Amino acid sequence: MSETPRPLARPLVLGGLRLASNLVLAPLAGYTDLAFRLCCRAHGGVGLAVTEVIPAAALVRAPERTHRFLHTSERDRPLSVQIDGGDPALLAEAARRVEAAGHAALDINMGCPVPRLTRKGGGARWTTTPAQAARAVEAVVEAVSIPVTCKIRLGWDDDSITAPALARALERAGASALTVHGRTREQGFRGRVRLERIAEVVAAVERMPVIGNGDVRCAADAERMLRATGCAGVAIGRAALSDPWIFRDSWHYLRTGSLPPAPSFAERLAWVRRHFAHLCELFGERRAVLRFRKAGCHYARSMGLDKAYRRRMNVARDRAEIERILADVEAGRHWARQRGERSPTRPAPH
Ligand SMILES: Cc1cc2nc3c(=O)[nH]c(=O)nc-3n(C[C@H](O)[C@H](O)[C@H](O)COP(=O)(O)O)c2cc1C
């Protein structure tokens, strides 16, 4: 793989939408709600954030079930809404509603491996039928004037790597950008992301920006993704859950080759508390506690918290209990190092 001489920190342009960076908060079901998006955006570096996947059918037929996931605010711009479904007409109707609600962009999930989606013709099922996928995207592009992007995997399995052909077809259908998670559906999250396969997608398209995705855990990984694949931008998912500063760090690193000072423990904890408080406002206590059981555990990695912290967080019953756990964190009762556990540290650039 050859090194690309282009500057790595260049703002991404999706159709008529110019982003402030080429870093994207990837959609993560159960996590990338407004509360978490603001935790990432507050520190800078996020060019675009994407909602968790919303079924097109629910968005059209039962909007009361989806409105929480569409909550946004002035500080949450630009926002792309991700929809899923196997029916082009429903996708187009959902897209119209997303545009009517004032969102900046629309993303179609064509990569999710979950059978609940693929059985209905959505998610990664689209990777098996590039021509049909292109027709669906054409229908959506015709229905709205906001940029329409797609997110795919490499293909269904190793015997059907369709991403390059699919990318070409989606570009011709009018997609403004394509995010490629460098694994197949069959791989799930196993193995490593295949950068050389993402590079093949970049080579296959004419002008459509390709956003590389998968296993970017630190700023140096973001640089490697850009250099090794020639992609225009990078989407970061899981790593942001423990370290919402990864966008700020990566954007700084891509521009300067160095990392800004790491946030202090107190700063991280303040943002964890803000995240949870905002979730309570958005979802109400019961749902917020359920969501934060998972989200709260992810912070253990960047903050060096022990297993007992995760055990408690995982089963927390109410807001008061989560606040008690966080008070114990503040008092230093959950530091992994004190218990002789391996202390997760901030990954260094390599
Ligand atoms: C918990 C979880 C939820 C996810 N939800 C979505 C989703 O709603 N839509 C989607 O396109 N991808 C979803 N993904 C895939 C991620 O967007 C991303 O492609 C994948 O995690 C690889 O990137 P990463 O290594 O940076 O996490 C999800 C992944 C995880 C782990």
Side-chain angles (χ1 to χ4, degrees):
M1 279 176 285
S2 63
E3 300 236 323
T4 53
R6 292 175 292 163
L8 299 173
R10 54 188 185 279
L12 205 52
V13 180
L14 312 181
L17 181 65
R18 189 180 168 82
L19 308 180
S21 81
N22 55 353
L23 301 174
V24 177
L25 170 60
L28 295 167
Y31 296 98
T32 52
D33 47 49
L34 174 62
F36 181 66
R37 294 195 301 267
L38 291 182
C39 288
C40 296
R41 290 190 194 268
H43 317 302
V46 177
L48 181 74
V50 188
T51 65
E52 56 196 278
V53 62
I54 303 175
L59 215 150
V60 172
R61 295 181 185 137
E64 70 287 353
R65 274 177 36 215
T66 60
H67 73 272
R68 276 190 200 89
F69 305 110
L70 289 168
H71 271 315
T72 183
S73 74
E74 277 304 313
R75 286 173 296 143
D76 186 36
R77 305 273 193 269
L79 177 66
S80 177
V81 173
Q82 190 187 66
I83 59 172
D84 158 75
D87 175 354
L90 257 184
L91 287 170
E93 182 51 31
R96 281 188 204 98
R97 304 212 181 179
V98 167
E99 180 175 47
H103 300 293
L106 180 101
D107 189 52
I108 306 177
N109 184 324
M110 295 186 152
C112 184
V114 175
R116 184 167 45 82
L117 270 62
T118 58
R119 269 200 298 268
K120 293 182 187 156
R125 179 64 67 187
W126 286 113
T127 64
T128 64
T129 54
Q132 278 159 260
R135 278 198 293 279
V137 169
E138 236 167 55
V140 176
V141 168
E142 264 172 36
V144 293
S145 52
I146 53 176
V148 175
T149 63
C150 302
K151 181 162 177 284
I152 64 172
R153 284 192 174 223
L154 297 177
W156 191 254
D157 54 28
D158 275 358
D159 296 327
S160 55
I161 302 283
T162 51
L166 179 58
R168 259 194 312 273
L170 297 178
E171 180 176 31
R172 286 195 201 112
S176 293
L178 179 70
T179 303
V180 184
H181 177 190
R183 290 186 174 87
T184 62
R185 180 229 42 116
E186 200 269 333
Q187 260 185 290
F189 284 90
R190 289 185 302 277
R192 292 177 72 100
V193 151
R194 289 182 257 176
L195 299 184
E196 70 285 1
R197 291 292 195 181
I198 298 179
E200 287 170 14
V201 177
V202 174
V205 299
E206 282 176 28
R207 273 185 299 275
M208 178 177 65
V210 172
I211 300 168
N213 171 239
D215 295 355
V216 171
R217 296 195 190 93
C218 61
D221 287 345
E223 181 183 28
R224 188 175 318 110
M225 174 66 84
L226 288 161
R227 279 195 195 284
T229 68
C231 64
V234 178
I236 302 173
R238 290 166 295 172
L241 295 176
S242 74
D243 185 13
W245 277 262
I246 190 170
F247 302 96
R248 177 201 73 158
D249 289 356
S250 300
W251 186 235
H252 193 274
Y253 187 69
L254 291 176
R255 282 176 300 145
T256 66
S258 66
L259 286 173
S264 67
F265 187 86
E267 210 178 332
R268 285 190 188 275
L269 181 58
W271 275 99
V272 174
R273 284 186 157 131
R274 207 177 291 193
H275 181 179
F276 177 55
H278 198 182
L279 269 185
C280 289
E281 276 170 38
L282 287 174
F283 287 88
E285 177 172 346
R286 199 178 63 83
R287 280 172 187 268
V289 166
L290 290 178
R291 278 176 96 82
F292 201 73
R293 277 182 183 174
K294 291 189 295 165
C297 282
H298 284 280
Y299 289 117
R301 189 168 159 267
S302 60
M303 295 175 71
L305 303 178
D306 62 7
K307 289 178 192 148
Y309 164 82
R310 289 176 209 239
R311 273 198 300 273
R312 287 178 72 191
M313 189 58 85
N314 249 321
V315 295
R317 275 172 312 227
D318 53 28
R319 182 173 189 161
E321 193 172 349
I322 288 184
E323 283 167 357
R324 271 196 305 278
I325 296 169
L326 297 179
D328 285 345
V329 166
E330 185 170 23
R333 293 196 194 102
H334 280 299
W335 290 348
R337 234 175 311 149
Q338 286 178 349
R339 295 175 199 281
E341 290 176 18
R342 207 178 121 258
S343 174
T345 50
R346 192 175 190 227
H350 37 258

